[in-house]
Amino acid sequence: MIALAQEAGLELVLPQGSKGLIPYVLFNQQQILQTEELVDESRYCDLPLLAYLESLPPTYIVHQEEIIKHLSIDGSLFQSPSATAYAFMATGNIECRRYLESLVLNCPNGG
């Protein structure tokens, strides 16, 4: 979210003492992106980076075909609502939207 806000030109007001944390987190994120594959099994967990699509930086290029290829039958991306929401924004795929709408219908009070 920080990278998206910065890319959009938004001014970020961070709590005192957290300015050093942001570069540290972004550096670690970059290290993970350099060592992990987008769709192969990750060293850190059982899911590929594509399962964390919403947390990838805006500069990380993911092709629509790659996203669509990994959608589940129900339209989700690795059963992750946030990754599926990002996949819908990136592709406009109607199956992603249907999955998200089904979550809203099945969980009307948010949980």
Side-chain angles (χ1 to χ4, degrees):
M1 288 173 51
I2 291 171
L4 289 173
Q6 289 174 333
E7 189 175 280
L10 298 175
E11 180 183 353
L12 299 175
V13 179
L14 303 171
Q16 191 172 11
S18 65
K19 289 192 179 209
L21 181 63
I22 304 303
Y24 174 76
V25 168
L26 295 176
F27 174 78
N28 283 323
Q29 178 188 48
Q30 201 58 35
Q31 293 294 96
I32 291 169
L33 293 175
Q34 289 174 357
T35 59
E36 299 300 316
E37 295 293 327
L38 185 62
V39 294
D40 289 341
E41 285 195 19
S42 166
R43 290 185 318 163
Y44 299 104
C45 65
D46 293 336
L47 294 173
L49 285 178
L50 192 58
Y52 307 98
L53 181 62
E54 77 284 2
S55 65
L56 296 176
T59 56
Y60 202 82
I61 306 298
V62 181
H63 298 286
Q64 288 187 17
E65 302 83 30
E66 197 66 36
I67 294 170
I68 292 171
K69 182 170 90 175
H70 287 87
L71 291 179
S72 298
I73 293 172
D74 65 1
S76 71
L77 186 61
F78 299 105
Q79 301 296 309
S80 168
S82 56
T84 304
Y86 196 94
F88 174 68
M89 291 187 300
T91 66
N93 183 285
I94 194 69
E95 296 303 319
C96 293
R97 180 178 172 166
R98 287 185 181 133
Y99 171 78
L100 295 168
E101 288 173 343
S102 75
L103 291 179
V104 172
L105 291 174
N106 291 324
C107 303
N109 296 320

